Amino acid sequence: MKIIRLIFFIVHVGIAFLLAATLLNAYVPPKTFPWFNLLSLGFPVLMIAYILLTLFWIISWKKRAFVFLLFGLLFFKPVIRWINYTPQKNETPDLKIISLNAKGGFYGKENIESYIDSQHADIVMLQEYGAKNTYHFKGMKEGPQSYVITIFTKHKIVEHKQLIDSDYNYNNAYVSHTDIEIRGKIYRFINVYLQPFKFQKSMVKLNGDSEEDEQKVKDVVKRLIPTFKMHQEQIGAIRKSIDESPYPVLLAGDFNSVPNSYEYYHLAEGLQDAFVEAGRGSGTSFHDYKFPIRIDYIFSSKSIQPISYKVDRSVKLSDHFPIIATFKIENKSE
C-alpha cells in the first residue's frame, strides 16, 4: 500500500506541475514556447485527475490532502472558464447576441434561419457561414460579408472594417469589427474566426495500433504548434481594435482556442467573459468529438453587464452549439 501511495503522490505532484504550467500561458507566447499552450488542451483531464487524487488523500486521512487542497485553489478561476454556475440575475437585459459557427450550412441553412428567427436576437455573428449561402433573418440586415464571417443586426451599422482576411495559402483566419449604433450609443462588435486546425475525426481517432497511433499523435502536434504561433500573430490585430476602440466592445466568435490558452488570456484582457459572469453548467460548445472543448466565446467591455449566457444544446445546427448571451447596456444618448 505504501508503494501505491508513493506512486499516487508522485503522479499527483506531476499533475500539479502540469496544471501550473497552463497558467504560464498568460505570460509565455507560443512563438517562445508553445508547449504550455498545448497543455491547455488537456486541462479538463488533468483537473479531473487532480481532484480524484485529492479525494483519495482526504479519504486516506493524509495531511498532504490539505496541501493539495490549498494548491488546487489556484485553479478555481481556470476551472470556471470550463464549467460554472452563477445565480440568476434579476436585471432585465436589453441586448441579445448569438454567435454560431455554421459549418457552411451543412446541417441545413433553413434550420439555421428558423432557429435564429425564433430567438429574436439583436445581433447575430456567424462564422463559417458558407460563402455560397445567403441567409435571411426576420427584421435583420446583414453587414458587409467576408468569405467566412458575417454579422446581422437590427440596428444601424456605422462603420465596418476587415481586420484579418485569408490569403487561402498560409492564413485562413477572418476577423472584422463592426460599429453599430444602438439607441443612440455606438458599440464595437468584433467577429472572430481564428486560424482553424483543420482536423478530421480520422486524424485524431486512435485505433489501438501503437505505431499508427504514435504517428497520429505526432501529426496532431505538428499541426497544433504552427497554428498556435499563427494565433499569436492574429491576436495582435484584434487587440489593436479593442485597445483603440472609442466605443464599448463586444468580442465573439470561434477562437479555435480553449480556456486557459495563450489566446484566451490575451483576447480576454480588460474584457468580461460572459460565461464566467453569467453562465451555468458546461461551456463546451464544440460537440463533434467526445471531449469537452470550449472554443466559442462572447466577451464584453466592463461597462456592459452580462445578464445570461447559454450554450444551446437543444439544437444541432452544425458541429458547434449556438452560444447566446444577453446584456444590460446604457440607454442614454451621447
Side-chain angles (χ1 to χ4, degrees):
M1 189 63 180
K2 286 184 178 180
I3 295 177
I4 294 175
R5 285 177 178 169
L6 178 60
I7 294 171
F8 279 6
F9 178 75
I10 294 171
V11 170
H12 206 171
V13 171
I15 291 172
F17 274 106
L18 292 176
L19 286 170
T22 66
L23 302 178
L24 295 176
N25 282 316
Y27 312 101
V28 182
K31 287 187 177 182
T32 301
F33 192 77
W35 300 99
F36 292 145
N37 219 28
L38 190 66
L39 274 177
S40 67
L41 295 171
F43 182 86
V45 173
L46 291 172
M47 199 66 227
I48 290 170
Y50 185 90
I51 292 170
L52 290 175
L53 285 169
T54 302
L55 290 173
F56 172 79
W57 298 125
I58 293 172
I59 294 169
S60 300
W61 289 94
K62 293 295 180 180
K63 292 180 180 179
R64 66 193 64 170
F66 296 101
V67 177
F68 285 115
L69 276 172
L70 289 173
F71 188 77
L73 294 177
L74 288 174
F75 309 110
F76 176 74
K77 285 187 177 180
V79 166
I80 65 173
R81 296 173 192 148
W82 292 84
I83 186 166
N84 188 28
Y85 181 85
T86 56
Q88 187 172 353
K89 299 184 180 182
N90 295 324
E91 291 88 349
T92 302
D94 46 24
L95 179 69
K96 185 175 184 179
I97 298 174
I98 298 176
S99 178
L100 171 66
N101 179 314
K103 195 176 174 60
F106 179 78
Y107 286 59
K109 181 177 75 75
E110 297 79 9
N111 295 332
I112 294 174
E113 289 176 331
S114 176
Y115 175 79
I116 296 297
D117 286 344
S118 72
Q119 294 299 310
H120 308 290
D122 296 280
I123 306 290
V124 175
M125 302 164 84
L126 298 182
Q127 306 87 39
E128 286 194 60
Y129 74 92
K132 295 181 180 180
N133 289 326
T134 302
Y135 294 88
H136 299 283
F137 302 135
K138 292 179 182 177
M140 307 189 84
K141 51 184 175 289
E142 185 174 8
Q145 291 183 346
S146 73
Y147 189 74
V148 168
I149 60 174
T150 188
I151 186 169
F152 292 81
T153 175
K154 292 180 178 178
H155 304 280
K156 178 183 176 182
I157 295 175
V158 176
E159 192 263 350
H160 178 88
K161 183 178 180 180
Q162 197 72 24
L163 304 178
I164 302 174
D165 209 343
S166 171
D167 60 14
Y168 300 104
N169 294 314
Y170 174 68
N171 169 42
N172 297 119
Y174 292 82
V175 181
S176 66
H177 77 221
T178 308
D179 296 337
I180 298 175
E181 183 178 332
I182 302 174
R183 293 183 289 279
K185 188 169 182 178
I186 299 174
Y187 299 85
R188 173 160 293 179
F189 293 84
I190 303 177
N191 195 0
V192 175
Y193 179 73
L194 288 185
Q195 181 71 23
F197 295 104
K198 299 180 180 179
F199 285 133
Q200 302 294 330
K201 280 187 179 181
S202 60
M203 298 168 63
V204 297
K205 187 177 180 180
L206 304 181
N207 57 20
D209 184 313
S210 58
E211 290 186 7
E212 185 178 338
D213 289 348
E214 182 181 351
Q215 186 58 49
K216 282 187 176 183
V217 171
K218 290 179 180 179
D219 291 342
V220 166
V221 172
K222 286 179 182 179
R223 191 176 290 259
L224 288 170
I225 299 300
T227 304
F228 291 152
K229 294 178 179 180
M230 293 177 70
H231 285 177
Q232 181 182 340
E233 297 175 2
Q234 294 159 7
I235 286 168
I238 302 170
R239 282 305 326 174
K240 184 177 180 181
S241 178
I242 296 170
D243 297 337
E244 296 181 357
S245 175
Y247 317 117
V249 170
L250 290 116
L251 172 73
D254 177 359
F255 291 13
N256 281 305
S257 310
V258 298
N260 317 318
S261 63
Y262 175 87
E263 296 89 331
Y264 181 96
Y265 279 115
H266 289 267
L267 287 176
E269 184 178 351
L271 302 175
Q272 303 177 98
D273 183 338
F275 173 71
V276 172
E277 298 296 324
R280 295 182 177 188
S282 169
T284 295
S285 55
F286 181 77
H287 62 79
D288 212 26
Y289 302 157
K290 294 180 179 180
F291 188 83
I293 304 178
R294 182 189 177 208
I295 56 176
D296 301 276
Y297 304 87
I298 301 177
F299 294 100
S300 69
S301 293
K302 292 182 179 179
S303 61
I304 303 172
Q305 182 185 0
I307 302 300
S308 68
Y309 183 100
K310 178 182 181 181
V311 180
D312 194 347
R313 298 182 178 85
S314 67
V315 291
K316 284 192 177 180
L317 305 173
S318 82
D319 52 358
H320 295 241
F321 291 119
I323 56 173
I324 306 169
T326 62
F327 299 87
K328 182 72 176 176
I329 61 176
E330 295 178 355
N331 295 324
K332 61 183 180 181
S333 300
E334 294 182 330

